[in-house]
Amino acid sequence: MSNGLEHSSWVISDDHRVDIFVGRGTRRLLPRLIGSLGTGYSLIALVADSGLPESFRRDAEEALKGTGRLVVRIIAGGEQAKSLDTVKELWEWLLGSGADRDSLLIAYGGGAVSDAAGFAAATYMRGIDWAVIPTTLLSMVDASVGGKTAVNLGAKNIIGAFHHPRLVVIDTEHLETLRERDYIAGLAEVVKHALLEGKWFLEWLLSHREEILARRHGVLARMIRLSLDTKMKIVSRDYRERRGDRALLNLGHTVAHALEKATSYSLRHGEAVAIGLVVESYLAHRVTGLPLDEVEEIKNALASLGLPTRPPKGLEPGEVIGLVRLDKKRKGDKILLPLLEGIGKPVLVELDLGEAVAGLREAWREASHGD
Ligand SMILES: NC(=O)c1ccc[n+]([C@@H]2O[C@H](COP(=O)([O-])OP(=O)(O)OC[C@H]3O[C@@H](n4cnc5c(N)ncnc54)[C@H](O)[C@@H]3O)[C@@H](O)[C@H]2O)c1
């Protein structure tokens, strides 16, 4: 059942499939999309992001009223959502609302709300079905699929679980209210997926650049589905992150995480990822032989979508790159880095930590001096 929507379907296990629907105005189609799962739910528990414009939420509530018993909870959006306090509040609310194993939780909001509400769904009565309606570009192209749910405890994502949603409903109208800087930052993850997927995807992005920047619905729906399909293709080889393939999705993120820490999180995540993709491409040139003209292509693609490509001025490379030593992907004195051999040809490379840090410092300098 696609009704002109972009649709893809992924089999996680014998009894779990993830259906992804992308299009304009899909929040109003929720009863039909939920109905397509073929599961009768005893209760629908909608967890909505407080930062979401009210009119969107009202539309979704209105549509869901027809599906049976509905309860709604609004939680504070943004990173503050990702706390055990919020999850406890959700568990108690679910219990008080009479939610049982046959209930469906719907997370409606940015990646922070879906990470926290998804974790509540993963743990309530040992796990109930959940659906997600992501409302920021980053959550549409990344956080909504892959099955990772988590809250923070001192550091990010310390407490979490793998729990794939049954349904991902993406309504491109939600992008109309996003601030320009947040929208553009979200495009960095799309470029990352294009670099993992192949040149055709990068060329597609460039040939639709103007429509993407003008947030044209049809093009956005296609872009988001292509992006999610790339992520799901990689995730489906390794649903529980045991074999290591999922580490490819960290492309650009080793430098991005160090940069976010060094700038006290003043950069948007996507901005740090864009710079990380460039710095790590220069490293790839040395380590895997990524051709320099492809490094240029990557920079041009990022720049033409309004993303930064150079490290911020005034930051000491040593100060930032030294933080790579604290990276989660470090194992003793080694680190496993996803690097490109070519656009669309990612590989996982194990480097000595000292070698990686020295190479990244050099790459940082090259990225800073680029034209
Ligand atoms: N689970 C995963 O695989 C995964 C992947 C990537 C990121 N994440 C997580 O996602 C989180 C970041 O998510 P995010 O970038 O979506 O930001 P966010 O969830 O922090 O939301 C940012 C702000 O936008 C507001 N907002 C939400 N929708 C809006 C809309 N349509 N219009 C206007 N404002 C809106 C929110 O209320 C919030 O204030 C991080 O915690 C990150 O760890 C998870």
Side-chain angles (χ1 to χ4, degrees):
M1 193 213 65
S2 64
N3 294 323
L5 303 176
E6 297 277 342
H7 174 226
S8 60
S9 196
W10 299 87
V11 176
I12 309 282
S13 63
D14 288 348
D15 60 353
H16 196 134
R17 198 182 72 211
V18 179
D19 277 299
I20 302 173
F21 292 95
V22 193
R24 182 173 189 178
T26 51
R27 65 188 181 284
R28 298 195 187 87
L29 305 178
L30 281 165
R32 257 197 288 159
L33 301 177
I34 293 171
S36 73
L37 298 178
T39 310
Y41 289 108
S42 57
L43 174 80
I44 306 274
L46 179 70
V47 180
D49 187 316
S50 63
L52 188 66
E54 216 184 309
S55 62
F56 287 137
R57 201 191 66 241
R58 269 198 256 109
D59 290 344
E61 277 186 49
E62 207 46 53
L64 285 168
K65 275 183 192 155
T67 57
R69 212 154 79 75
L70 171 72
V71 288
V72 182
R73 183 84 171 185
I74 299 172
I75 63 169
E79 207 57 28
Q80 58 189 322
K82 290 178 59 166
S83 74
L84 280 173
D85 287 344
T86 306
V87 173
K88 182 165 179 272
E89 181 190 319
L90 291 177
W91 287 329
E92 286 170 349
W93 166 69
L94 288 167
L95 195 61
S97 307
D100 59 18
R101 290 216 176 117
D102 297 323
S103 302
L104 176 75
L105 182 148
I106 304 180
Y108 188 13
V113 164
S114 61
D115 272 10
F119 181 65
T123 44
Y124 183 74
M125 295 193 173
R126 300 197 185 92
I128 59 171
D129 278 3
W130 73 297
V132 54
I133 314 170
T135 59
T136 63
L137 184 57
L138 180 101
S139 59
M140 290 181 187
V141 300
D142 191 356
S144 58
V145 303
K148 286 186 176 180
T149 69
V151 294
N152 305 329
L153 191 72
K156 266 184 79 85
N157 302 329
I158 294 297
I159 309 295
F162 284 101
H163 191 49
H164 291 268
R166 293 281 312 273
L167 182 65
V168 180
V169 177
I170 297 178
D171 184 340
T172 52
E173 282 178 9
H174 292 118
L175 295 175
E176 289 171 359
T177 53
L178 270 197
R179 277 172 298 195
E180 183 71 1
R181 187 173 171 191
D182 292 319
Y183 176 73
I184 299 289
L187 291 172
E189 298 287 358
V190 180
V191 173
K192 179 195 81 178
H193 288 142
L195 297 179
L196 293 170
E197 180 69 38
K199 270 201 186 189
W200 66 268
F201 192 177
L202 202 63
E203 282 161 12
W204 184 91
L205 287 176
L206 290 178
S207 64
H208 291 87
R209 175 188 168 272
E210 281 175 19
E211 292 130 293
I212 292 169
L213 293 177
R215 308 189 198 184
R216 297 268 151 70
H217 292 281
V219 164
L220 291 185
R222 175 54 57 90
M223 175 185 86
I224 292 163
R225 189 176 68 80
L226 291 174
S227 201
L228 288 179
D229 283 355
T230 300
K231 177 165 177 180
M232 283 307 279
K233 247 191 264 173
I234 292 172
V235 166
S236 65
R237 288 188 234 142
D238 187 16
Y239 277 124
R240 296 185 63 84
E241 207 165 22
R242 291 200 171 117
R243 298 218 328 254
D245 294 26
R246 280 186 79 137
L248 295 175
L249 294 165
N250 286 324
L251 189 73
H253 281 61
T254 307
V255 168
H257 288 148
L259 189 52
E260 284 180 295
K261 273 189 210 133
T263 54
S264 309
Y265 294 88
S266 61
L267 289 175
R268 296 287 193 276
H269 176 66
E271 293 165 351
V273 168
I275 297 164
L277 288 171
V278 175
V279 175
E280 293 182 20
S281 294
Y282 277 109
L283 178 70
H285 172 61
R286 289 154 182 277
V287 175
T288 61
L290 174 71
L292 274 180
D293 57 342
E294 296 202 5
V295 178
E296 285 305 313
E297 265 181 72
I298 294 168
K299 280 164 58 177
N300 290 340
L302 291 164
S304 72
L305 292 168
L307 286 157
T309 58
R310 284 186 203 202
K313 288 207 171 75
L315 269 184
E316 274 301 308
E319 205 180 298
V320 181
I321 299 303
L323 293 170
V324 167
R325 292 182 185 278
L326 307 175
D327 195 278
K328 278 192 283 190
K329 295 179 290 302
R330 172 190 167 167
K331 290 223 163 53
D333 57 0
K334 305 268 187 211
I335 186 163
L336 195 62
L337 284 181
L339 292 175
L340 294 175
E341 274 179 353
I343 294 172
K345 291 189 200 124
V347 283
L348 284 175
V349 182
E350 189 176 70
L351 294 175
D352 285 328
L353 198 57
E355 190 190 345
V357 167
L360 282 170
R361 270 193 212 182
E362 202 43 51
W364 179 280
R365 281 195 198 92
E366 285 166 320
S368 306
H369 295 142
D371 51 31

